[in-house]
Amino acid sequence: MQNPVFAKNIKLASLIVTYNRIDEAKAQIDIIREAWQPMFGEIGIYHEFNGEKKWYPKKYRENLLHRNRPMSHFLGANHMLNMGIKRILSSKKKYDYIIVTSGDTWFYNPRKLKEIIIKCHKGRYELATSLWAGITLATEFFIITPNLAEQVFPLQLSKILKHDKFLKWAHQKIAVFESMFTIQVMKVLKNPNKIYLIPGRRIVLF
């Protein structure tokens, strides 16, 4: 039987990355505040945004809103992930897990989320995510320990594209960023048994 006190002792940070999915990002924040938070206690929400200021003129219910310069889709996502992870790791708060999501990727069921996180905690999994295209690790939703995040990030997609003409052309069509994330994770972990695989891609319903 799961102990609710145990779950509330787990410290969580949420990193949300958004360009123009404003309504979806606000819905994500509401889900965290109203569904997740009662299960875990206070959750630190870090919102990385690189759209126009008029689209999102002020902070909503997140703890930190940081505006980034506009960039192309994948390079912008890479940059915001790097910066968000850096901000969380350098904050004075110590977290057990960082939950990373795109603004339009929602996890509705807090009980299932608690189940996954407790499994990670008891099983000492460093990462929980789903598979993307069957072979790479998804980056639209994943749960990562600060220890692993510190070793995996920053990811340097721009450097790879700068030196590889084919990937510069193909990165919009194939999962280059997800592949880079997967390779870096496996370089650090060296053991896929430290990864907890969950089903789903854009919406995790359970």
Side-chain angles (χ1 to χ4, degrees):
M1 183 175 179
Q2 293 177 357
N3 186 346
V5 176
F6 178 73
K8 285 185 178 291
N9 288 337
I10 297 176
K11 306 300 181 185
L12 299 178
S14 168
L15 171 57
I16 300 173
V17 173
T18 315
Y19 167 60
N20 63 348
R21 303 288 176 89
I22 306 304
D23 291 336
E24 291 91 336
K26 287 182 176 180
Q28 170 73 302
I29 293 170
D30 287 337
I31 290 169
I32 294 168
R33 289 289 183 230
E34 296 169 21
W36 298 8
Q37 197 158 280
M39 288 280 183
F40 296 99
E42 180 64 27
I43 297 174
I45 301 178
Y46 297 73
H47 186 183
E48 296 288 328
F49 173 71
N50 71 346
E52 295 185 27
K53 186 174 181 179
K54 64 182 179 181
W55 298 346
Y56 203 92
K58 62 181 180 179
K59 189 165 68 170
Y60 180 51
R61 301 174 70 185
E62 59 269 70
N63 296 85
L64 175 70
L65 169 64
H66 187 266
R67 302 181 189 279
N68 297 271
R69 67 184 185 275
M71 301 173 72
S72 63
H73 178 74
F74 289 103
L75 291 177
N78 182 188
H79 176 75
M80 288 191 286
L81 278 175
N82 288 341
M83 297 308 296
I85 293 291
K86 181 179 179 180
R87 268 180 262 281
I88 291 171
L89 294 177
S90 62
S91 71
K92 294 181 179 180
K93 295 186 177 181
K94 301 299 180 184
Y95 297 105
D96 296 301
Y97 297 96
I98 302 167
I99 304 176
V100 181
T101 63
S102 298
D104 58 348
T105 308
W106 305 332
F107 201 121
Y108 288 123
N109 191 329
R111 289 183 178 83
K112 189 63 181 180
L113 180 65
K114 184 177 79 168
E115 179 185 318
I116 290 170
I117 289 176
I118 288 178
K119 282 183 179 178
C120 288
H121 198 75
K122 290 182 176 179
R124 297 187 178 181
Y125 294 105
E126 296 272 348
L127 176 71
T129 187
S130 57
L131 291 177
W132 178 276
I135 56 172
T136 60
L137 299 173
T139 58
E140 288 185 329
F141 178 94
F142 62 93
I143 302 168
I144 191 168
T145 63
N147 175 61
L148 180 58
E150 190 171 18
Q151 298 176 78
V152 169
F153 293 92
L155 294 171
Q156 304 293 345
L157 180 60
S158 59
K159 286 186 179 181
I160 292 175
L161 299 184
K162 183 178 180 180
H163 297 291
D164 193 308
K165 291 182 179 179
F166 172 75
L167 290 181
K168 185 176 182 180
W169 170 81
H171 81 281
Q172 300 276 359
K173 302 172 178 62
I174 61 177
V176 174
F177 181 67
E178 287 78 10
S179 298
M180 182 174 63
F181 175 66
T182 303
I183 291 168
Q184 188 61 26
V185 165
M186 292 312 302
K187 278 184 179 179
V188 175
L189 291 183
K190 298 181 175 62
N191 183 358
N193 291 326
K194 293 183 179 179
I195 301 172
Y196 181 79
L197 290 179
I198 55 178
R201 180 197 161 202
R202 205 168 201 78
I203 299 177
V204 185
L205 283 171
F206 294 102

